[in-house]
Structures are given as structure tokens and as C-alpha cells.
């Protein structure tokens, strides 16, 4: 049996780096909704990659907390590298993530060094986060409250949106407007 092969398009072996719109916010802050609106609104092909998708893709077992922690960390570290792989192949990516622990940010700063990363703070007031958690029914109640004081601590963003005050379309429009200028927040951050 012969398998058809196709040659790569000219320039496909060394494409320019894709843009990364990096949405950082607590659980239930509206990152996925904003990402979906961005994909509907942005020109050209964009990919939405969410850390939650990677956790759901993992096999399920009854691990102890001690057994699960390194598995969890490897999943997050792998997610960062998948995003970088997509962008290094010239794909534009919207990332949906929670940088609630310093090791996540440190790894992202290393992995995405040199990439055009637009760092977006996705904010939502705690009472609204708690209301959304209860309404969704598929979230651990209290997770957003635990993440709330940590996720945006000492962060500098290229743009910040407030999903409890703005519609998804308004958030997306604000982010897209920022794409007309070079990003600075992520690349200038010291480790």
C-alpha cells in the first residue's frame, strides 16, 4: 500500500511565530466565554487552547493527593509546551489559563520567551464568581474564592477586562484593539 505524501508549502518549515493571547483569570471568571467570542471575531485562523481541556483529556484513576500532584504539574507543564508548539508553527492561539501558583508563571515566562504574548487579565468580582460557580453546577464550590487573591497578584497586563461589568463582545473588542500594538507585559516581566 502506498501512502500519499505532500510536500510542505514554501516557507512552512520556518514560519513566523504565531501570536498568543494569554487569558489569565480565576475559575468561572469568563475566560472561555471571552475566548469563544475572540474566535468568532478575530480575522484568520485562531485556536483556543485551555488548560481545562488537558485535565479532562487525562485518564481517571483514584490517585492520592501525593500521587496526583506530580501528574497535575506535568499536565500543566505539557500544556505550556503544546501552546508554544502551536505558536512556533505559526499558529495564532488564545490561551485560557489560571496562573494561581508562581511555578506556572515562571514556566510560562521561560517557555514563551521570544513569542508575541498579549497578556490579558480577566477579572470578575468575587460575589459574581461565587454565583457563577453555583449556577454552573460543574465546578468545585469555593475554588474561585481560593484562587481570587492569588491569580492577579503582582501581575502586569497588556490589557485587562472585567467580565462582570462588560459583555463578552466588549471584552473581545478591547483585547482585539490591543493587538494593534506590540505586547510588552509578558516579555518585560522579570523572573
Amino acid at each position: 500500500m502506498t501512502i500519499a505524501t505532500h510536500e510542505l508549502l514554501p516557507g512552512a518549515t520556518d514560519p513566523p511565530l504565531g501570536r498568543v493571547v494569554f487569558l489569565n483569570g480565576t475559575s468561572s471568571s469568563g475566560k472561555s466565554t471571552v475566548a469563544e467570542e475572540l474566535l468568532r471575531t478575530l480575522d484568520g485562523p485562531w485556536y483556543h487552547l485551555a488548560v481545562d481541556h488537558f485535565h479532562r483529556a487525562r485518564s481517571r484513576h483514584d490517585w492520592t493527593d501525593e500521587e496526583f500532584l506530580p501528574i497535575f504539574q506535568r499536565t500543566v507543564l505539557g500544556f505550556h509546551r503544546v501552546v508554544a508548539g502551536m505558536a512556533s508553527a505559526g499558529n495564532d492561539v488564545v490561551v485560557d489559563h489560571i496562573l494561581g501558583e508562581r511555578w506556572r508563571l515562571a514556566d510560562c515566562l521561560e517557555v514563551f520567551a521570544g513569542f508575541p504574548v498579549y497578556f490579558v487579565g480577566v477579572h470578575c468580582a468575587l460575589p459574581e464568581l461565587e454565583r457563577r460557580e453555583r449556577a454552573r453546577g460543574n465546578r468545585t464550590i469555593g475554588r474561585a474564592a481560593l484562587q481570587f487573591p492569588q491569580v492577579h497578584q503582582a501581575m502586569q497586563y497588556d490589557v485587562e477586562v472585567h467580565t462582570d461589568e462588560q459583555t463578552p463582545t466588549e471584552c473581545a473588542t478591547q483585547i482585539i484593539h490591543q493587538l494593534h500594538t506590540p505586547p510588552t507585559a509578558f516579555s518585560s516581566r522579570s523572573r
Side-chain angles (χ1 to χ4, degrees), residues 27 36 43 46 57-58 65 87 95 102 114 134-135 149 170 186 188:
S27 175
E36 289 166 11
D43 291 331
W46 283 76
R58 186 180 49 243
D65 288 346
V95 178
R102 298 302 102 185
R134 289 188 303 274
E170 290 169 337
F186 209 79
S188 66

Side-chain angles (χ1 to χ4, degrees), residues 15-71:
L17 294 174
R19 293 168 290 175
V20 177
V21 172
F22 196 111
L23 306 177
N24 178 47
T26 66
S27 175
S28 299
S29 63
K31 298 182 304 297
S32 295
T33 303
V34 171
E36 289 166 11
E37 185 64 27
L38 284 167
L39 264 61
R40 277 192 291 275
T41 310
L42 286 162
D43 291 331
W46 283 76
Y47 297 86
H48 174 206
L49 298 177
V51 72
D52 286 351
H53 300 161
F54 282 65
H55 289 304
R56 284 194 297 269
R58 186 180 49 243
S59 61
R60 301 286 177 217
H61 297 284
D62 290 328
W63 289 299
T64 65
D65 288 346
E66 186 177 332
E67 292 169 327
F68 182 66
L69 181 59
I71 295 166

